[in-house]
């Protein structure tokens, strides 16, 4: 531990740089957040984060464990509403509309802003029903043929159709880890979201399954805006156009991914991505 | 972020690997510096044994380049370096290419020395060759120091000084061309002098490249192919 920068030094480095370095804002924002604070009871987990997420971009949120990146991600589709002691303040807009408006139905919001989790979590149902579940509850199709088409299209987009087309009635939980994660992506896509939030979507997968998911992310970007939280620096470098670095609940630096990984501006970003702490 | 410390990684073995690479690079720099000095000395003093030694020693420099390249490849494969670590590895890979070529130029000087010694040739222009060599050797020493200390100010200074090397070379070369028409019977020997001067000028160029990698490593800016005024204004 002797050669690591100690916590007090890191905290003081941050105190010197109160505001975010780089370009947190963009012209073509799909999601726009300003001065976001998040509290778990009396503990403040996110401090004054302002960040735009551009339309059809993949933005990677990186940072050490406990830095607030997942908490911030979960604010974007109000997943934090499910935690009683969690309070979110600040402005969060999706296409200019307040995500936290009183008349905003969180279920409808989550249809527009879908989420894929770290561990694949298919429902204990068939592959077909996993994908059809969302469209059914949201009433997106009017008959079986339309639903069949939507399920097929979603599985194709998630790059899974070829592998499962002959066993759509088999249980989703019987698939391999990588296939289950793609099934979850198909399930997310099926409700025709505009934004997909991914919380370490490949951390439980082997390198091949990871490569397939990353390829898929690049493909999905054409139609969706994607926010990905990842602990893998190489993954962030490979899949995203912009990268945001969080530290102790603050947004330290945002920039073009190419720049962040070759020439970060903030000392904390440098120290994190070069493995000097975290 | 002008202060770089490559010794603060969580992984001590990563610190050690980067430290090894830097040490090897500086060792190679030292070897090349000696080769330059000895090759010029062999030419000026007509020391055949020394010239042959320089040629033999170049094999060691080539081997060093291959070894450092291999170690850099291993670091890239195992550590996936980023930011300043990545720039360090890139700067090392590029610097050793230039150092190896400086070694080749020193070898050329030694080969010219062997030819001239075989013809028992001495020239009044040896003095000018010596002055040019002193300028070049001084710049190389400063460039290697700037690399060791990551001193961008010094690196820029050396890059600026390369102009003086170019001018000294042009003047010497002009004199040698005049000399060729005056002493046509010594044409082949004078051409060897001219080649030696050209080798020194090229060493100057490789030295300047190394300085550009130092600026890239420390400042994260690629300043190749930019004129010095622009570099000074924009990055210093």
């Amino acid at each position: 531990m002797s050669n690591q920068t100690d916590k007090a030094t890191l905290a003081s480095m941050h105190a010197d740089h109160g505001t975010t370095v780089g370009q947190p804002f963009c012209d073509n924002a799909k999601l726009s957040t300003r001065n976001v604070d998040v509290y778990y009871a009396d503990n403040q987990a996110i401090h004054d984060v302002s960040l735009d997420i551009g339309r059809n971009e993949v933005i990677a949120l990186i940072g050490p464990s406990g830095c607030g990146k997942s908490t911030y991600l979960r604010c974007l589709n109000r997943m934090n509403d499910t935690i009683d002691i969690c309070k979110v303040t600040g402005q969060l807009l999706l296409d200019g509309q307040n995500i936290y408006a009183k008349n905003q139905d969180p279920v409808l919001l989550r249809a527009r802003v879908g989420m894929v989790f770290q561990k694949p979590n298919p429902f204990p149902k068939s592959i077909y029903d996993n994908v059809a579940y969302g469209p059914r509850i949201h009433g997106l199709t009017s008959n079986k043929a339309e639903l069949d088409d939507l399920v097929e299209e979603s599985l194709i987009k998630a790059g899974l159709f070829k592998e499962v087309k002959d066993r759509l009635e088999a249980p989703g939980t019987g698939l391999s880890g990588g296939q289950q994660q793609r099934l979850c992506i198909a399930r997310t896509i099926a409700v025709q979201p505009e934004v997909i939030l991914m919380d370490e979507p490949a951390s439980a997968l082997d390198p091949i399954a990871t490569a397939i998911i990353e390829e898929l992310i690049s493909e999905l970007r054409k139609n969706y805006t994607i926010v990905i939280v990842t602990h893998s620096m190489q993954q962030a470098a490979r899949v995203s156009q912009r990268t945001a670095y969080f530290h102790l609940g603050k947004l330290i630096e945002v920039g073009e991914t190419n720049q962040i990984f070759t020439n970060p501006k903030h000392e904390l970003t440098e120290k994190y991505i070069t493995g000097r702490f975290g | 972020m002008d202060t770089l410390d490559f010794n603060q990684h969580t992984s001590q073995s990563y610190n050690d690997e980067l430290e090894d690479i830097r040490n090897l690079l500086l060792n190679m720099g030292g070897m090349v510096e000696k080769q330059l000095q000895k090759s010029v000395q062999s030419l000026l003093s007509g020391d055949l044994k020394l010239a042959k030694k320089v040629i033999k020693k170049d094999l060691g420099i080539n081997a060093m380049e291959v070894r450092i390249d291999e170690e850099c490849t291993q670091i890239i494969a195992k550590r996936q370096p980023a930011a300043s670590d990545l720039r360090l590895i890139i700067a090392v890979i590029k610097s050793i290419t230039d150092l190896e070529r400086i070694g080749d130029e020193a070898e050329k000087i030694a080969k010219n020395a062997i030819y001239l010694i075989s013809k028992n040739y001495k020239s009044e222009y040896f003095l000018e060759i010596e002055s040019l060599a002193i300028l070049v050797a001084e710049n190389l020493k400063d460039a290697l120091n700037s690399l060791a200390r990551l001193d961008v100010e010094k690196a820029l200074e050396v890059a600026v000084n390369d102009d003086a090397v170019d001018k000294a070379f042009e003047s010497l070369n002009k004199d040698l061309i005049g000399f060729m028409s005056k002493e046509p019977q010594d044409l082949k020997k004078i051409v060897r002098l001219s080649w030696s001067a050209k080798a020194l000028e090229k060493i100057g160029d490789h030295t300047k490249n190394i300085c550009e990698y130092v600026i890239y490593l420390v400042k994260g800016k690629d300043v190749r192919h930019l004129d010095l005024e622009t570099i000074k204004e924009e990055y210093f």
Side-chain angles (χ1 to χ4, degrees):
Chain A
M1 289 293 284
S2 61
N3 58 357
Q4 289 185 46
T5 314
D6 64 62
K7 279 187 178 163
T9 315
L10 291 174
S12 75
M13 262 188 228
H14 193 181
D16 294 340
H17 299 87
T19 53
T20 303
V21 171
Q23 295 103 32
F25 307 129
C26 59
D27 292 338
N28 192 21
K30 178 75 186 172
L31 282 154
S32 182
T33 64
R34 295 291 181 274
N35 311 110
V36 174
D37 291 325
V38 180
Y39 301 83
Y40 292 111
D42 293 335
N43 291 326
Q44 189 168 0
I46 299 274
H47 299 257
D48 197 22
V49 168
S50 294
L51 174 67
D52 282 347
I53 291 150
R55 216 167 285 274
N56 295 95
E57 82 169 349
V58 180
I59 184 166
L61 312 183
I62 61 169
S65 297
C67 70
K69 55 192 188 298
S70 289
T71 297
Y72 175 78
L73 185 82
R74 291 160 59 89
C75 291
L76 300 176
N77 69 346
R78 290 180 57 172
M79 286 298 280
N80 289 327
D81 287 13
T82 58
I83 303 167
D84 286 341
I85 56 167
C86 185
K87 188 178 94 185
V88 179
T89 65
Q91 190 184 51
L92 293 100
L93 307 176
L94 172 64
D95 280 334
Q97 302 289 311
N98 184 4
I99 293 172
Y100 284 81
K102 282 207 173 114
N103 58 359
Q104 172 67 60
D105 179 348
V107 175
L108 292 179
L109 172 73
R110 287 174 204 143
R112 291 178 71 194
V113 184
M115 193 156 188
V116 177
F117 299 85
Q118 180 175 7
K119 215 174 148 209
N121 53 356
F123 301 136
K125 289 170 176 286
S126 70
I127 293 169
Y128 182 96
D129 285 339
N130 260 279
V131 184
Y133 185 83
R136 277 187 189 129
I137 62 165
H138 287 290
L140 296 182
T141 53
S142 49
N143 56 50
K144 177 79 167 70
E146 270 182 36
L147 187 60
D148 287 353
D149 287 347
L150 183 57
V151 167
E152 182 176 330
E153 189 192 325
S154 304
L155 286 167
I156 289 172
K157 279 188 185 161
L160 188 61
F161 186 68
K162 277 187 192 160
E163 293 160 57
V164 299
K165 64 181 178 189
D166 298 324
R167 47 175 173 147
L168 291 176
E169 294 310 321
T173 48
L175 296 170
S176 73
Q179 288 172 327
Q180 285 188 21
Q181 193 63 305
R182 278 181 283 148
L183 178 62
C184 294
I185 292 174
R187 187 175 68 188
T188 304
I189 293 169
V191 291
Q192 299 167 354
E194 296 152 47
V195 180
I196 303 175
L197 309 178
M198 297 185 166
D199 195 354
E200 299 199 49
S203 63
L205 306 181
D206 69 31
I208 301 294
T210 299
I212 294 171
I213 296 286
E214 288 179 7
E215 192 61 27
L216 181 58
I217 290 171
S218 305
E219 193 58 35
L220 292 174
R221 184 189 153 216
K222 293 172 190 161
N223 300 310
Y224 310 96
T225 298
I226 297 171
V227 188
I228 178 169
V229 163
T230 175
H231 268 128
S232 160
M233 237 74 73
Q234 268 58 48
Q235 181 166 74
R238 285 190 297 261
V239 302
S240 70
Q241 288 76 53
R242 280 203 308 156
T243 297
Y245 173 66
F246 283 75
H247 185 86
L248 297 176
K250 294 181 183 170
L251 179 58
I252 304 296
E253 181 170 355
V254 186
E256 298 288 326
T257 297
N258 289 346
Q259 173 253 315
I260 295 281
F261 286 95
T262 55
N263 193 14
K265 302 289 174 234
H266 198 290
E267 202 173 347
L268 284 172
T269 319
E270 167 90 21
K271 283 186 183 296
Y272 178 66
I273 65 171
T274 56
R276 283 160 167 87
F277 68 82
Chain B
M1 252 175 333
D2 287 4
T3 48
L4 299 179
D5 189 345
F6 295 102
N7 199 30
Q8 284 205 333
H9 296 88
T10 305
S11 160
Q12 182 57 42
S13 53
Y14 190 15
N15 288 339
D16 296 343
E17 288 164 20
L18 292 177
E19 183 73 18
D20 279 352
I21 292 263
R22 291 188 68 196
N23 287 339
L24 285 171
L25 171 71
L26 297 176
N27 278 342
M28 185 178 176
M31 285 163 77
V32 166
E33 225 183 330
K34 273 193 196 137
Q35 285 287 89
L36 166 63
Q37 184 246 325
K38 285 180 178 166
S39 67
V40 173
Q41 195 188 332
S42 73
L43 177 79
L44 300 178
S45 61
D47 187 337
L48 182 64
K49 211 171 140 193
L50 189 59
K52 285 185 176 165
K53 215 171 151 186
V54 169
I55 292 168
K56 204 170 160 196
K57 194 89 185 179
D58 189 54
L59 295 175
I61 290 175
N62 296 348
M64 193 74 159
E65 185 197 18
V66 172
R67 180 179 165 194
I68 298 175
D69 253 340
E70 170 62 23
E71 300 226 357
C72 288
T73 307
Q74 289 297 329
I75 288 186
I76 291 170
K78 283 194 285 188
R79 306 286 183 184
Q80 292 100 43
S84 57
D85 297 336
L86 176 66
R87 300 201 304 275
L88 172 70
I89 298 298
I90 299 295
V92 169
I93 290 173
K94 285 182 163 286
S95 296
I96 58 172
T97 305
D98 280 282
L99 286 173
E100 191 274 333
R101 289 190 185 154
I102 293 176
D104 289 347
E105 297 302 328
E107 188 190 11
K108 282 183 198 166
I109 295 171
K111 283 181 176 167
N112 291 329
I114 290 173
Y115 177 83
L116 294 174
I117 293 163
S118 74
K119 302 292 174 195
N120 208 12
Y121 181 77
K122 290 211 185 302
S123 162
E124 57 192 282
Y125 289 99
F126 275 14
L127 266 181
E128 280 188 62
I129 296 260
E130 189 178 13
S131 314
L132 177 61
I134 289 170
L135 269 183
V136 170
E138 196 66 25
N139 272 0
L140 179 59
K141 187 186 83 193
D142 287 345
L144 293 171
N145 279 340
S146 77
L147 187 59
R149 295 174 194 145
L150 302 178
D151 179 349
V152 276
E153 303 289 337
K154 182 54 95 183
L156 182 68
E157 193 185 311
V158 177
V160 170
N161 287 347
D162 186 52
D163 273 357
V165 172
D166 291 344
K167 285 199 178 101
F169 165 70
E170 276 163 28
S171 154
L172 171 58
N173 209 34
K174 206 171 146 193
D175 291 349
L176 287 173
I177 290 166
F179 191 41
M180 286 174 198
S181 51
K182 261 201 280 176
E183 308 276 347
Q185 73 283 1
D186 283 337
L187 189 62
K188 279 189 181 169
K189 295 159 209 159
I190 303 167
V191 165
R192 292 291 184 143
L193 278 187
S194 174
W195 287 353
S196 302
K198 182 68 192 166
L200 288 170
E201 190 266 339
K202 276 186 160 175
I203 292 174
D205 292 343
H206 290 304
T207 302
K208 190 181 171 190
N209 290 346
I210 293 170
C211 295
E212 289 171 348
Y213 308 143
V214 174
I215 296 172
Y216 167 72
L217 165 52
V218 177
K219 299 236 173 217
K221 303 287 177 191
D222 189 347
V223 297
R224 289 174 303 168
H225 314 300
L226 294 178
D227 64 75
L228 290 166
E229 282 310 310
T230 313
I231 298 173
K232 264 192 239 174
E233 274 170 29
E234 291 188 15
Y235 304 124
F236 282 82

